[in-house]
Every structure is written in C-alpha cells, then in structure tokens.
C-alpha cells in the first residue's frame, strides 16, 4: 500500500488544486475568531476587522472574522464528496473590549454557516484540554456575582455533506480492514473526551512553531481519521499549520492534502518525519497491546469474545472486527508534489 501527501502554500478560500468531490474527510482547526493571537491574521484578510477591534466593536469583529472562515467552508462544499465528513475543532473565545467582558460562541457560528451550505450537523464532541494554569479563575475570584467559568474545553463539530451516508461496495476489503476495536469505539464515540494528550507532537514541534499555530494534539486527528475514513481515503486540512492532520493520515494509511498560508510551516514539516516508521510500529503496537489487555480482562471475568481475528492471534467482540488489519509505515520519500509513504501489513 502507498499513500500520497501534499501541502499547497496558498489561501484555502480558493482551493484550485483540488477537484470537486475529491475529498473524503476534512479534519481541521481554524484560527479562532476573537482570540487575540489571531487578530493580525484576520485583519490581513479584511482590514475592517482591525477597525472594528480598535473601535471596541466586538460583535462586528466577530461577524467579519467568521465571514472569512465561511469562504473556506464554501470551498469545502465543493471539494468534499457527497456523504463525506467534515470535523472542525474550534473553541469559543472570551474577551474584554471597550470595558465589557463577553464570550463569543465560535462553535455556534460555524455550525450555522455550515448548515447554510447544506452540511448536516452530526453529534459533536467536547474535549477537555489539559491545563497547567496555577490560577484558573476569571473575574472576581471568590466574590459573587462577577466571577466567570474558565473555558477548558473545545468542540469537535462533525458534519456530513448532504443527507445521504457514504456508499461502499458490499464487503469492501479496505472498509473492513479499517475497522476499530469494539472497546476503542466505546471510548472514541463518547461525546466527552478527557484523555487526549500531545505527547507525539511535543517531541517534534518546537515551542515557537506551536505558539504560532495553536496546534491540536496528535491524538485528536488520528482518532478522527480512524473514525470517519477508511484506508486509501483522502483527508484534507485547509488550515494545515504544523501538519498534524497529515501526520495522522500518514500513520493511518490515508492520502492527505493541506492548505497553509505560512510557507514556514510547510518547510518545517520534514523534521516531523524523522523515524516515522519507528513511530508507526510503536503506534500499532500500542493499539494491539491495548486490545490484548482487554482480551485478558474479559477472560479473567469469564467473558467470552465471540469471534477470532483473521490476521491476528486474538479474539474480538464483534463480527465487524474480524478482518481488522494494521499497516506499518516502511518508507517515506519526497516527491515533486510532497511525500509518498509505503506500508507493509502487520
């Protein structure tokens, strides 16, 4: 198996390198409107945003920022195939402008804009970000009534393009090989995630780059890619940043494409591919070892699993898991357009 990966340095409001209906899954995290670190980026797209911020008009700035994001969502409505899935990681913002404190509901505005384009909202996820803040209070501390809840969660908004689910040919090998374990499904398809960490990302992204990108942890796109796509699918990230979605796609056996305005991010991505085959083996080992531990727990409780995996020496809970198969990255090579990744079945 081989996959291809590319990043276009350009504006995702006009993704001319992508054909219509060519993307199976989008996993992305846009700049969050009304988060101060993104003011300059949004103002460069529309100077009226900076004028609104300078005037203390938060509502106008919020609306204009989302107008810029909506142009990207409109492109998604063209490039995503019917039945394809869009996963958008976004957080709300809190800010004081002109002496007034307010929350800006980014998740609600993104949902409204996507609905206008014909995307169907599916159940979303709240994920709670790890925080090391010594003082997590906002406002007046222990005195009513002007203390505020601290935002420690973000949303993974999930949308389907159109009303119909994606069709597959009966018994499609790549769909059945892409199955996840029963116990993984129970964790992944919960609507609250508290177990995401950035371990892999922290080892390969320096602090300066991370602070410029506000990149999400590797576990988030890796989980979503496995939940909502199959081997050989094409995954898009229109706000590519440090390339975490591409990295997850590589390790999950999917093709990928990204769009990124900052050429420096794309140039730095090579460093994230160091020892990718070794990291791939470790990731597959981790998933297999967790399942084997689950099997042992079931046996200790006299819980008999009903089916045998076809490619491995362990049982599985459901018939749909029998053909599950993992692939190790064996090689990564540069191409004229990006990268080609090769795999062997485990």
């Amino acid at each position: 198996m081989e996959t291809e990966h590319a990043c276009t340095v350009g504006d995702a409001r006009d993704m001319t390198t992508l054909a219509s209906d060519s993307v199976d899954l989008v996993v992305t995290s846009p700049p969050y409107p009304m988060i101060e670190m993104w003011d300059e980026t949004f103002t460069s797209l529309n100077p009226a945003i900076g004028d609104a911020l300078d005037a203390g008009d938060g509502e106008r700035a919020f609306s204009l920022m989302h107008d810029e994001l909506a142009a990207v969502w409109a492109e998604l409505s063209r490039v995503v195939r019917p039945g394809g899935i869009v996963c958008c990681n976004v957080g709300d913002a809190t800010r004081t402008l002109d002496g007034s404190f307010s929350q800006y509901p980014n998740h609600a505005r993104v949902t409204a804009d996507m609905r206008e384009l014909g995307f169907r909202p599916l159940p979303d996820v709240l994920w709670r970000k790890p925080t090391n803040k010594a003082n997590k209070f906002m406002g007046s501390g222990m005195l009513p009534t002007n203390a505020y809840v601290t935002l420690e969660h973000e949303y993974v908004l999930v949308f389907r393009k159109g009303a119909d689910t994606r069709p597959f040919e009966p018994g499609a090998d790549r769909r059945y090989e892409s199955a996840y374990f029963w116990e993984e499904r129970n964790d992944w398809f919960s609507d609250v995630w508290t177990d995401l960490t950035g371990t892999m990302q922290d080892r390969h992204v320096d602090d300066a780059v991370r602070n410029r990108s506000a990149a999400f942890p590797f576990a988030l796109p890796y989980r979503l890619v496995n939940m909502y796509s199959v081997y050989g699918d094409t995954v898009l990230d229109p706000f590519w940043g440090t390339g975490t979605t591409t990295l997850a796609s590589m390790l999950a056996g999917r093709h990928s494409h990204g769009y990124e305005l900052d050429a420096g991010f794309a140039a730095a991505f090579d460093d994230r591919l160091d020892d990718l085959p070794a990291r791939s083996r470790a990731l597959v080992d981790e998933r297999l070892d967790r399942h084997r531990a689950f099997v042992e727990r079931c046996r200790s409780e006299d819980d008999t699993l009903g089916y045998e995996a076809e490619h491995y020496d362990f049982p599985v809970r459901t018939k749909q898991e029998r053909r599950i198969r993992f692939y190790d990255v064996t090689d990564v090579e540069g191409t004229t357009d990006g990268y080609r990744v090769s795999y062997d079945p485990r």
Side-chain angles (χ1 to χ4, degrees):
M1 182 171 72
E2 291 184 343
T3 60
E4 303 282 344
H5 306 267
C7 178
T8 298
V9 178
D11 193 330
R13 293 174 298 180
D14 186 15
M15 292 186 277
T16 55
T17 61
L18 294 178
S20 298
D21 300 339
S22 62
V23 170
D24 301 291
L25 171 67
V26 175
V27 176
T28 196
S29 186
Y32 299 173
M34 300 308 289
I35 296 291
E36 198 166 354
M37 69 174 288
W38 297 115
D39 287 356
E40 184 177 343
T41 297
F42 280 111
T43 298
S44 70
L45 300 175
N46 181 357
I49 293 171
D51 295 339
L53 291 171
D54 291 342
D57 190 345
E59 291 303 317
R60 176 166 169 74
F62 174 75
S63 180
L64 290 173
M65 289 178 182
H66 275 284
D67 287 346
E68 299 304 319
L69 294 184
V72 179
W73 311 147
E75 269 292 82
L76 295 188
S77 71
R78 179 184 67 82
V79 303
V80 174
R81 65 181 296 163
I85 299 293
V86 175
C87 298
C88 179
N89 178 165
V90 66
D92 291 343
T94 55
R95 189 156 180 174
T96 299
L97 279 176
D98 201 24
S100 178
F101 178 81
S102 182
Q103 177 171 327
Y104 295 90
N106 288 318
H107 79 282
R109 174 61 188 266
V110 171
T111 299
D113 288 343
M114 293 292 281
R115 289 182 60 135
E116 283 290 318
L117 291 164
F119 287 93
R120 299 294 182 95
L122 303 179
D124 57 34
V125 173
L126 293 180
W127 74 276
R128 193 168 189 269
K129 300 178 294 182
T131 179
N132 297 317
K133 294 179 182 177
N135 179 5
K136 299 195 291 185
F137 298 108
M138 293 193 297
S140 59
M142 272 52 70
L143 299 177
T145 60
N146 296 324
Y148 308 115
V149 171
T150 302
L151 294 183
E152 295 181 320
H153 69 272
E154 295 186 357
Y155 295 82
V156 179
L157 305 175
V158 184
F159 306 93
R160 176 184 291 121
K161 181 180 174 180
D164 297 328
T165 57
R166 181 177 164 190
F168 288 91
E169 62 274 20
D173 284 342
R174 69 189 186 108
R175 188 185 189 199
Y176 281 87
E177 287 190 353
S178 303
Y180 28 76
F181 291 119
W182 178 84
E183 65 275 14
E184 287 179 325
R185 186 198 186 285
N186 291 345
D187 289 337
W188 295 355
F189 285 86
S190 167
D191 65 347
V192 179
W193 293 350
T194 60
D195 59 337
L196 297 188
T197 62
T199 303
M200 182 177 288
Q201 176 169 281
D202 289 343
R203 292 205 310 267
H204 299 278
V205 180
D206 64 45
D207 289 339
V209 170
R210 187 183 303 106
N211 289 337
R212 283 163 55 213
S213 68
F216 45 33
F218 169 82
L220 189 147
Y222 181 74
R223 183 175 293 188
L224 294 170
V225 166
N226 281 283
M227 291 166 64
Y228 293 113
S229 69
V230 301
Y231 288 131
D233 273 358
T234 296
V235 181
L236 169 67
D237 187 349
F239 301 98
W240 194 75
T242 60
T244 306
T245 294
T246 284
L247 186 65
S249 300
M250 288 178 167
L251 290 168
R254 278 70 165 170
H255 304 281
S256 74
H257 200 105
Y259 266 78
E260 174 54 48
L261 286 172
D262 188 338
F265 285 145
F269 184 68
D270 283 352
D271 294 339
R272 301 199 71 186
L273 302 182
D274 292 343
D275 301 321
L276 193 67
R279 284 189 279 156
S280 171
R281 291 191 297 272
L283 193 59
V284 172
D285 284 343
E286 181 182 0
R287 291 183 66 186
L288 291 173
D289 288 346
R290 282 203 305 263
H291 179 70
R292 290 189 174 102
F294 168 74
V295 171
E296 290 307 311
R297 288 196 301 273
C298 290
R299 286 173 174 163
S300 70
E301 298 169 0
D302 294 325
D303 181 2
T304 302
L305 302 182
Y307 301 90
E308 292 295 323
E310 293 182 6
H311 301 292
Y312 303 102
D313 61 349
F314 49 62
V316 291
R317 172 73 72 187
T318 69
K319 184 177 180 180
Q320 293 178 331
E321 299 166 78
R322 289 182 306 166
R323 290 158 60 185
I324 190 170
R325 193 164 205 181
F326 295 91
Y327 287 82
D328 292 326
V329 172
T330 58
D331 187 48
V332 183
E333 60 178 312
T335 67
T336 55
D337 297 321
Y339 306 91
R340 180 180 298 110
V341 182
S342 301
Y343 307 80
D344 279 342
R346 171 70 69 93

